[in-house]
Amino acid sequence: MDEQLYVKQVLSGNTSVFSYFVETYQEMAITIAYRICGNMQDAEDVVQESFVKAYRNLHSFRADSKFSTWLYRIVYNTAVTLTKSKMWTSFHETDMENAAHLSANPIDINIENSEQKEMVGEILQKMPKGDALLLTLYYMEDNPVKDIAKITGLNESNVKVKLFRARKLFKEMLVRHYGQTVEDQLLASS
């Protein structure tokens, strides 16, 4: 069923249909909130509050974007407000030419076993929150740059630059913590 139909059903009084959105998007919502908050208790609180906000404001949802993009924007804003954290603290100078290669030369890491997932999770935990969030949205949730810009409130150029930097930092941290051979293994599995 089309998500627009679910929205219409909820707005027309069939509130139990909203459980579809909770079941479908709860896991990624918690991941986003956790990347910002840094602990599971706060992340769960943020997600619960975000779903309440989404339900109460469902009438304002416009079909010009995906429901997930709209919801993740609510989660993002709620988490940032809760933590009052500065998401984008690391600024390294990178020219736009390097960022332009983002689409042409992505580092796709397909994680196939639990050991690799654990390594990636460990590196993401150690990265700045904003960088980890962008990598999660782009690689784990497969959001396009356009949707990430809507979720985070950044413009598309900033998202590209920050993704470029985050990817570079991830690679550096991976090599520093696990050595070159692990990087080669991860890249070989992609």
Side-chain angles (χ1 to χ4, degrees):
M1 183 183 267
D2 182 15
E3 287 188 343
Q4 292 299 333
L5 294 174
Y6 285 125
V7 170
K8 288 177 184 174
Q9 284 186 0
V10 173
L11 291 174
S12 66
N14 188 357
T15 57
S16 65
V17 174
F18 193 77
S19 65
Y20 162 81
F21 296 114
V22 174
E23 292 169 10
T24 304
Y25 299 113
Q26 184 172 24
E27 188 175 317
M28 182 50 59
I30 286 177
T31 300
I32 291 168
Y34 182 75
R35 294 277 180 246
I36 297 167
C37 297
N39 71 69
M40 191 54 75
Q41 180 64 44
D42 286 346
E44 290 170 350
D45 291 347
V46 162
V47 170
Q48 183 175 358
E49 184 178 338
S50 298
F51 276 115
V52 169
K53 286 179 181 179
Y55 178 78
R56 288 183 180 154
N57 295 297
L58 195 57
H59 64 279
S60 69
F61 171 67
R62 297 184 315 257
D64 60 344
S65 68
K66 296 185 296 187
F67 181 86
S68 61
T69 302
W70 181 73
L71 175 66
Y72 297 158
R73 177 70 182 172
I74 293 170
V75 172
Y76 174 85
N77 287 336
T78 304
V80 168
T81 299
L82 175 77
T83 61
K84 295 178 178 66
S85 68
K86 189 105 166 108
M87 290 293 298
W88 315 110
T89 55
S90 66
F91 266 88
H92 311 286
E93 286 304 313
T94 301
D95 58 37
M96 285 303 292
E97 283 182 30
N98 287 338
H101 298 298
L102 177 70
S103 300
N105 189 17
I107 301 173
D108 288 325
I109 300 175
N110 295 325
I111 301 163
E112 296 178 352
N113 65 41
S114 62
E115 185 178 319
Q116 288 176 336
K117 286 182 183 179
E118 190 176 313
M119 286 188 298
V120 169
E122 193 173 309
I123 297 296
L124 288 174
Q125 274 299 108
K126 293 176 181 179
M127 292 182 72
K129 293 176 183 180
D131 292 344
L133 175 64
L134 288 177
L135 292 175
T136 300
L137 289 171
Y138 191 76
Y139 287 106
M140 299 169 111
E141 184 64 13
D142 293 325
N143 279 296
V145 169
K146 179 179 79 173
D147 288 352
I148 295 172
K150 288 180 183 177
I151 292 167
T152 61
L154 299 168
N155 66 43
E156 289 183 36
S157 295
N158 282 350
V159 171
K160 289 178 183 178
V161 169
K162 289 179 185 305
L163 269 170
F164 176 82
R165 293 174 184 161
R167 191 180 294 119
K168 184 177 175 185
L169 178 61
F170 180 89
K171 181 180 176 181
E172 290 169 3
M173 291 176 75
L174 185 67
V175 170
R176 185 173 40 226
H177 288 22
Y178 295 105
Q180 186 68 36
T181 57
V182 171
E183 179 197 10
D184 294 340
Q185 288 173 353
L186 283 175
L187 294 176
S189 70
S190 60

